[in-house]
Amino acid sequence: MQKSRTGVTDDAGRHAKWSGRLVGLVAVLAMVNFVVDSAITAPLIVLPEMLDHFGTDQPAWLNATAMLAGVAWAPLLGKSADIHGRRRVLVLALLLSCAGAVLCAVAPSIWLFVPGRMLQGASLAAVFLSVAIVRGVCAPRIAMIIVGIVTSGSAVLNIASRFLIEKLATQFGFQILFLGSAFVAVVMAICVHKLVPDSPVRTPGKIDFGGALLLGGGLAGVLGYISLGSDLGWLAVAPLALLVCGIAALARWLLTSSRKPDPLIDIRELSGPLVLTLLVVFLAAGSYQSVLQLIPLVGDVSAGQHLGYGLADQGSVALLLAAPGVGVTLGGPAAGWIAARVGPASTLAGAVLLGTVVTIGMFLGVSQLPVALCCGFLLGVTVGALGTSGFNMAGSLASPERQGIVSSLVMVMVSIGSVTLDFVGAAVLKSTSVVVDGETTRSVTGVFSYIAIAAGAFAIAALLAVRLVRSTRLGTGSPSRELQRDAV
């Protein structure tokens, strides 16, 4: 890479070193990712209040619809960003999230609230569009570090906001959460429009709306069955209809996308290393999400119940929920820094190996608080490192004009993995439950089986990650060579 006279940008006009403008860009994009939390996960805090308000006992409709819709939005918005510009589409995603939040705040019934949550799901695009913007305006070496900061930097804000949301919801009702989310989304949309530069790189072509509808609807249908089946019944009409329609849509998408000259995702151009990367992300994301789901469950049980696990009487269990957040904040930037030196493939493999070891450590962590705190923190580091490394790895394998759609695939795999492994873990716990003092509770067999499944998925991901490292070292277009060219 040839340095410019200022030494701050390269010949392509991309940021090559830290500057005031770059710091401002990072701050804006980190706050953009905070919008995602306020739209997707923060409503879990007021879930009981929402169930009472709408008079329903189906929490999945109130919560899961945002994530499912986000998976459906991702490919469409990713492709649109490559064609029409990443900044423009990011602003659109934030405004859609704002509109959905307002709709949720004023919804008189669940039938209006659910469409609002579906609009909020568009905010999920903010994660991968932020990554695509960073890779477009920054040189590869510094981009890897910034991706870690942007995707993980809002974790501390997420922890702090939980306490504020809980207090405000008590005083003003759960609607205040959605009004706050709408306000943050519109403010960040203005900031992105005013402060974030747009990449001049464009992909010629048009958007395959039919393919987007088939792929997004198919993914949402299959995941909807997995997410809603446990609440509504696996053989109930609505979940089964979602599953059948989802499979049919995906089959139709595969058939038509192989024939179109400009499909939404050209599966013929998916390289072996990219497919390996997506598989690693799918398995690892699902594994760490399932373990994170297990931590509060074992933290709610006392060892005095003699179930063979439990942490409730060993100290401040609240630390269990805070430790992963701190780890995420550190793990993302650290993974970016390491990737800039050894390459994203090796960093991704290291993150997966760390996750495997930490998950195995949870066999002791479910009954010993110090071990659980250590594992929780390291699992957070794993989460941050995996997200950063996954985006960096996929981005390094994509051409500049395909950064949006490729980054969206990473987000889709994270979501699918999380939903799938969460379901598998929940099913294991339910099938192995025992009755103690007249109450049904989770058995130690179920808890250990749960951990074993997560560790097994991590181990498979580790094997795939090692193969990925070998394939990128042998490949002519490997990320390591991209970094070498950047250093010239």
Side-chain angles (χ1 to χ4, degrees), residues 35-61:
V35 175
V36 181
D37 178 77
S38 71
I40 303 296
T41 59
L44 284 172
I45 301 173
V46 295
L47 185 58
E49 290 84 351
M50 292 191 294
L51 291 171
D52 291 340
H53 178 81
F54 293 113
T56 180
D57 60 352
Q58 303 296 337
W61 285 112

Side-chain angles (χ1 to χ4, degrees), residues 127 147-149 151-153 155 158 280-281 283-293 295 321 323-336 347-348 350-356 358-359 375-391 410-411 414 418 458:
V127 179
V147 165
I149 298 174
T151 56
S152 307
N158 296 341
V280 170
V281 169
L283 290 168
S287 299
Y288 73 61
Q289 183 61 40
S290 65
V291 178
L292 286 175
Q293 179 179 260
I295 288 177
L321 303 179
V326 177
V328 170
T329 306
L330 297 176
T347 309
L348 179 61
V352 174
L353 289 172
L354 175 62
T356 305
V358 171
T359 303
C375 288
F377 170 76
L378 292 177
L379 189 64
V381 174
T382 302
V383 172
L386 276 170
T388 299
S389 302
F391 280 117
V410 176
M411 198 70 247
V414 168
S418 299
F458 254 128

Side-chain angles (χ1 to χ4, degrees), residues 306-387:
H306 304 293
L307 293 173
Y309 70 96
L311 302 169
D313 55 354
Q314 298 187 35
S316 176
V317 182
L319 291 175
L320 282 173
L321 303 179
V326 177
V328 170
T329 306
L330 297 176
W337 183 85
I338 295 171
R341 284 150 180 80
V342 303
S346 297
T347 309
L348 179 61
V352 174
L353 289 172
L354 175 62
T356 305
V357 173
V358 171
T359 303
I360 293 174
M362 281 301 294
F363 281 108
L364 292 177
V366 295
S367 57
Q368 300 180 28
L369 185 60
V371 178
L373 288 172
C374 181
C375 288
F377 170 76
L378 292 177
L379 189 64
V381 174
T382 302
V383 172
L386 276 170

